[in-house]
Every structure is written in structure tokens, then in C-alpha cells.
Amino acid sequence: DADVTQTPRNRITKTGKRIMLECSQTKGHDRMYWYRQDPGLGLRLIYYSFDVKDINKGEISDGYSVSRQAQAKFSLSLESAIPNQTALYFCATSGFGTSGRETQYFGPGTRLLVL
Amino acid sequence: SQKIEQNSEALNIQEGKTATLTCNYTNYSPAYLQWYRQDPGRGPVFLLLIRENEKEKRKERLKVTFDTTLKQSLFHITASQPADSATYLCALPRGKLIFGQGTELSVKP
């Protein structure tokens, strides 16, 4: 089984709808992240959470909100979807391992189309 | 603020040649640097980590160098294969990992 899962994998929605993307991880890590990626562009950080009680905005948080329901679960919501939120969304988790260095593990992505 | 730069132009090379990708950073001194591989439509996958006191790290056909004076890391793939075609991202820790934009590598048979 995958360490980081995302649901749904694909989603088509209409402008103005509220949608939620879900992420679960089985690695036991405290840190979780949401990124978006547009064609030909790099990863852009939306929100991140260092533990269940910690939520932080990333570089492009406007129009998004998150919920950290448990150590293993981190959900991303689009309150009122708009077409320019059409993108590929990645969830990631990170741990420090025995080396003390952070390594990120990514989910398979959710492809979102807003009509 | 810190900045990470990777060559935005795609790198096209012939199979069997060595691919060299560059990651430059400014305004801080990371304790380590990482490289990730991303295939189209998929999440990045961790490849290698190199620490500030390591000049070079190898893993099979991959070699990473880390020059803290130049503030630069080079990522080499020797004897490249079409299966190495992907986007390669460098990442540095700054409270959390910060990713570069990535460089797309295309290896032609």
C-alpha cells in the first residue's frame, strides 16, 4: 500500500462549488503539506502543518483552507472553486529519519478541473 | 530571502552521454541539499541527500556535488538512458524544505 494516498485522483467541478481534497499518510510523520503544480511550473506551497495543532499558510493560500483532522490526515478545501484553480495538487509528508534530515514523500496527486 | 535557481530550459542529450544539472542558491548556508525526480503527472520522489561537509555523493549512475563556497550543487547522470527522462528538482531546508523549479531532462535514443 502507498505511504501517502490522495482522494479523489481526478475531479471535475464547476465554478463556485466547494470541494475537498483528502490526504492520508501511514508513515507516522508529523509534517504534512499541500502543493499545487501548473503545467510547466514548479511546486507552489499552499498550506503546511508541522503537527495536529499547527497550520501555516504557504505562498498561495488565498482561496484555500485546510483541516488537520489527525496526525495521518490533512484535507484541502476550495471554498468557492474558480477556473484558475485548475491544477495538479500534491499532498506530501515529511520525516527526519535517523539522519535528522527532512525528506518529503509525495502522494500521487489529484488532477482538478474547474469549469 | 533565500532563492533557489535551476535552469528553466530543458536539457536534451543523447543516450549514453552524461547529463549535468545545476542548482544554485543564495542568501543562506543549508546544512544539506536534496535531489528529487518527478515524472509527468506524478509526485516527486527523493533520490539523494548530500550534507554540507560532503563534497560528493554517489548512487549507482547518479553523482551529486555540493560546493558551499559557490553555493551550488551539480547533479550528474552518467551513461544516461531514455528512462532517465524526467524533471529533476533540488530542495534545501529552511525551516521546511524549499524546492527549486526543476529542470526537465530529455534523453534521446
Side-chain angles (χ1 to χ4, degrees):
Chain A
D1 289 340
D3 294 323
V4 184
T5 56
Q6 293 183 232
T7 55
R9 294 294 313 280
N10 294 279
R11 178 74 184 267
I12 301 173
T13 191
K14 294 182 179 180
T15 297
K17 295 291 187 181
R18 183 180 189 277
I19 67 162
M20 179 182 290
L21 309 183
E22 298 186 348
C23 177
S24 294
Q25 53 104 353
T26 58
K27 296 192 74 68
H29 293 162
D30 287 324
R31 295 189 174 194
M32 296 188 75
Y33 304 80
W34 274 106
Y35 296 90
R36 73 174 274 177
Q37 189 171 42
D38 297 276
L41 299 180
L43 298 167
R44 290 190 289 169
L45 184 62
I46 306 172
Y47 271 94
Y48 62 102
S49 170
F50 282 178
D51 64 43
V52 175
K53 296 181 180 180
D54 176 77
I55 301 289
N56 303 281
K57 293 183 177 181
E59 57 184 304
I60 54 161
S61 59
D62 287 349
Y64 301 94
S65 62
V66 290
S67 172
R68 185 78 186 268
Q69 300 96 323
Q71 185 199 42
K73 296 185 182 295
F74 193 34
S75 300
L76 176 72
S77 294
L78 284 68
E79 300 302 324
S80 178
I82 55 177
N84 77 0
Q85 291 179 312
T86 292
L88 183 55
Y89 290 84
F90 289 107
C91 173
T93 182
S94 68
F96 289 80
T98 55
S99 69
R101 278 101 184 161
E102 181 178 4
T103 300
Q104 285 201 10
Y105 300 87
F106 285 80
T110 294
R111 195 171 295 278
L112 176 66
L113 173 61
V114 183
L115 299 175
Chain B
S1 64
Q2 70 280 358
K3 192 173 179 181
I4 303 172
E5 291 184 346
Q6 293 187 255
N7 194 338
S8 59
E9 289 186 15
L11 178 62
N12 298 300
I13 65 169
Q14 205 67 31
E15 182 176 8
K17 301 293 186 183
T18 295
T20 299
L21 288 73
T22 304
C23 176
N24 294 299
Y25 59 94
T26 58
N27 295 337
Y28 79 124
S29 299
Y32 59 91
L33 183 147
Q34 299 179 344
W35 284 89
Y36 288 73
R37 169 182 172 142
Q38 184 177 22
D39 291 289
R42 305 182 72 128
V45 175
F46 170 75
L47 293 175
L48 277 170
L49 179 152
I50 186 166
R51 287 172 280 197
E52 61 180 339
N53 61 350
E54 296 176 313
K55 295 297 183 186
E56 181 179 298
K57 195 81 168 277
R58 290 176 186 261
K59 180 182 177 182
E60 298 173 352
R61 293 183 297 109
L62 308 180
K63 185 179 84 171
V64 174
T65 63
F66 193 11
D67 189 325
T68 55
T69 300
L70 290 179
K71 294 189 182 295
Q72 180 182 79
S73 175
L74 299 178
F75 177 82
H76 306 272
I77 306 176
T78 58
S80 61
Q81 304 167 359
D84 295 325
S85 298
T87 296
Y88 293 86
L89 300 89
C90 65
L92 297 91
R94 185 69 165 173
K96 59 187 179 304
L97 278 179
I98 308 295
F99 286 86
Q101 293 282 86
T103 298
E104 182 180 352
L105 171 66
S106 178
V107 182
K108 303 295 185 187

